[in-house]
Amino acid sequence: MAQVQLVILFTSVALVVIGLYSAIFIDNIIKKIIGISFIEEGVNLFIVAIGYKAGGVVPILMPGMDTSWFASNAAYPLPFGLVLTSIVIGASTLAVMLALVMVLYRRYGTLSTKVMLADTSKREEYDE
Amino acid sequence: MKIYDQIFNVVKQFRKLFSPGPVTNADVSGSLTAEIFLIVSLVLSAILLRHVNVLLAGIVTLILAILLISNIPLIPKFKIEQEDSLEKMLFYAIVTLGLLATFMYWGGNLV
Amino acid sequence: MNELIPLMVIVPLMAALLISAFSKLNKVTKIFAFVVAICLPLIPLLSNYGLHYFGGYEPILDNVTGMIYHPAITYSFTFLQQIFIGAVGLLTFLVIFIYLTKYKKVSGPYLFLLFLGTAAVTAMMLTDDIFHMFVFFEILALAQVGIVAASSIDYSYEMALKYMVLGSIGSPMMLLGIGFLLALTGSVNVTDIAVAVHNGLVDAASPVFLLSLALIFFGWLYASGMPPFHTIKSGIYSKAEPHGAALLQSFTVISMISIVLIMFRIYASLPIFEVLIVFFSILAMILGVSLALTQTDFRRMIGFLAVGELGFIGLGIGLGTNFSITAGLFQALNEIIITALLFIGFGAIVNATDEVDTRKLGGLLAYHPKVAIMLLIGGLAMAGVPPLSGFQSKLMLVQASLSCGFPEISILAIMVSIATFVVFVKTYYTMFLKPKPNDLDLEGKEVPKAMIFAMGVLLIIVILLGIFPDVVTGGISNFVGGIL
Amino acid sequence: MLEIVLSIVIVLSAILALIQKDLLKAAILTGFAGAALALLFQVLLAPDVALTQAIVEGAIVPIFIALAVKKTQRSDG
């Protein structure tokens, strides 16, 4: 029933809030990236919940199904298609971020954001 | 004489802004221009509030002008808040997101 | 010839994939990249205006409600798309030309990223489908990060990672806003959503609709580098190779106007929308220019100036009349070309001196007079000096804000122009006119010929647009009349 | 009922992943959250999304994170 969508809504809000919290307050860069990926998961969950229909069926037209019955009972498939793309994009973004972290770790020897991603504009000038 | 001393102190504080390295006269004049530009443009954009309420615009403009002028040099403070560290960027981004969402959800119809 | 419309995206995309697959063959890659780069500005010029439905699914008329639905991803190609895609295509051609002549051994992945970015902005400009735009927006972000990380400048990896982390907050928020719109209307086609909003099927005053505006707006701020993202945007410009930065800023401008036009079509009935855009544009102008005044690294300075100029585009769109939106879009076209000219010109100086700090430079006028003169004209165009193209668009913006009843905005725009002029003159003086420092060694270092050629081409466009602005503004005005 | 259990599992494992001192455990807990999310998608009538989610977020992403942890350092600090 509508209770399902309410539960999903709370879950996705919780995931987004966890992500935003970790973006500000967590110092370790790998954990920060894990936390930020939860934002994307929460958003995906919300979009899937849009297409959900209480008491409906999976939106695949099986042989032998009545078309008009199917049209009024199947879940709305458009959001599902969007989320498929979005999951893959999120994973590739995460992979690129982790690759950059691996390169930067070799230079700094630490995973702390305060050291690794601090202000660089002062450091690069007027040596030599 | 007092305002002259104040401006002189401002120029002294710019040295920290450009350290390490020398401070050239072009840089100092640029920073002074930025200082004046910042004050004038912020006060000028506060006048835009007159489309909401004339009295409010007058009060806000006066308070903003007094605050900004009594707090010079502004540019060093401004620059520290807008440096390249990820912490500050993330902080301001999320604060903006929170303000934007809160304002739009409850106050989007007021304008 | 409407078959050419999808080719505008497919050609650079296929070229990107083929180049990265066959990057071992150096000579073949070079010739292939050059041929594709020539094709990029030509395809939009040859194509006819029209619509393209992917898969051939034509719009469906619903007999019960009398409304038209668009089941296919739709590309619409009009005069506006033509000039902007043409401009980006030309810029891509020049950048790839500079890159191919600069290095003997070309890197396949770098060319892949350049073509991928071009394909992504082209699709964002053409598409009429808000989720399709989001997908290409994410691809564009990945391409931008790649271009920054591929440069050999110090601390470019740090800047790329910062941009990615901020982006992975900005773009899910935009996706959430798109999700709200999808929940309200059941469609991701912008035309369908706009029709639903205008016909009252969606309650325009409902908090969910307003929240979707807030979230998509936040994504737009990230895409365009308005505050609070102005530091990171200027940072990635300064950490990319100069020709890469010239392309990056054009990507930013195009993604900015394509998202804002979609937002305008959906949310124009809300008064708060225009207030938000004007507020953030004024903030971008003030912060961008005042920070540019205090920079000593001239690449960073141009980066902040580019962000400040974006405020003018936003201002034109935020005022909301036909004339002001035309002015804003014309300013966007000018900014793409002028900022690219400045990035390439200052990049030539970096090439010739290996130095980015203005305090260590001086007396370059005697060594590189051609670059100096072209940079001077470019800087004057950006500041808005007649008869160059920046003057025409800024004059239109000032007139538009005066006729809307906002004289303060006109004064502010003129002040920002003057401050831009100050920034430019200060940097120009310290780099070209002041006596040469003793420890600066300039002997035997030449500016690449390809960079001078690229600057010359861009300069001709700047002067032509300044003298004949009607060529562009008439067509843009017709387009704007269509969406108002 | 199932969706409530799954929601609690997702949120708990997300929070636990972020308070771990050992980054490898954090990676495994991320995979746990992803897999639970995949099951939740199945409950929400989206089997195709659930399949993709189970492969990408349940398997590939934790492996990426574990690889990154192996190349850098395992403890948080």
Side-chain angles (χ1 to χ4, degrees), chain C residues 6 15 29 71 97 138 177 191 248-249 288 317 327 384 391 408 416 443 468 481:
Chain C
T29 309
F97 181 59
E138 287 275 9
T191 312
L248 283 182
Q249 61 85 22
I317 290 162
F391 166 73
E408 305 95 328
V416 173
E443 295 306 321
F468 309 108

Side-chain angles (χ1 to χ4, degrees), chain D residues 9 20 31 33 40 49-50 53 60 64 69 72 75:
Chain D
V9 169
Q20 288 299 319
L40 196 53
V49 184
Q53 170 81 14
I60 296 178
F64 277 162
V69 171
T72 56
S75 71

Side-chain angles (χ1 to χ4, degrees), chain C residues 112-149:
Chain C
F112 166 76
L113 291 167
L114 295 181
F115 279 123
L116 191 67
T118 310
V121 285
T122 311
M124 283 178 76
M125 196 74 217
L126 283 172
T127 186
D128 195 29
D129 183 298
I130 194 164
F131 187 78
H132 191 247
M133 186 206 70
F134 172 78
V135 170
F136 275 101
F137 173 61
E138 287 275 9
I139 293 174
L140 177 66
L142 285 174
Q144 282 174 322
V145 167
I147 291 174
V148 175

Side-chain angles (χ1 to χ4, degrees), chain C residues 248-267:
Chain C
L248 283 182
Q249 61 85 22
S250 77
F251 292 167
T252 307
V253 175
I254 301 261
S255 55
M256 171 185 184
I257 59 169
S258 55
I259 298 174
V260 85
L261 283 177
I262 285 178
M263 285 205 297
F264 189 86
R265 283 164 62 191
I266 297 173
Y267 296 106

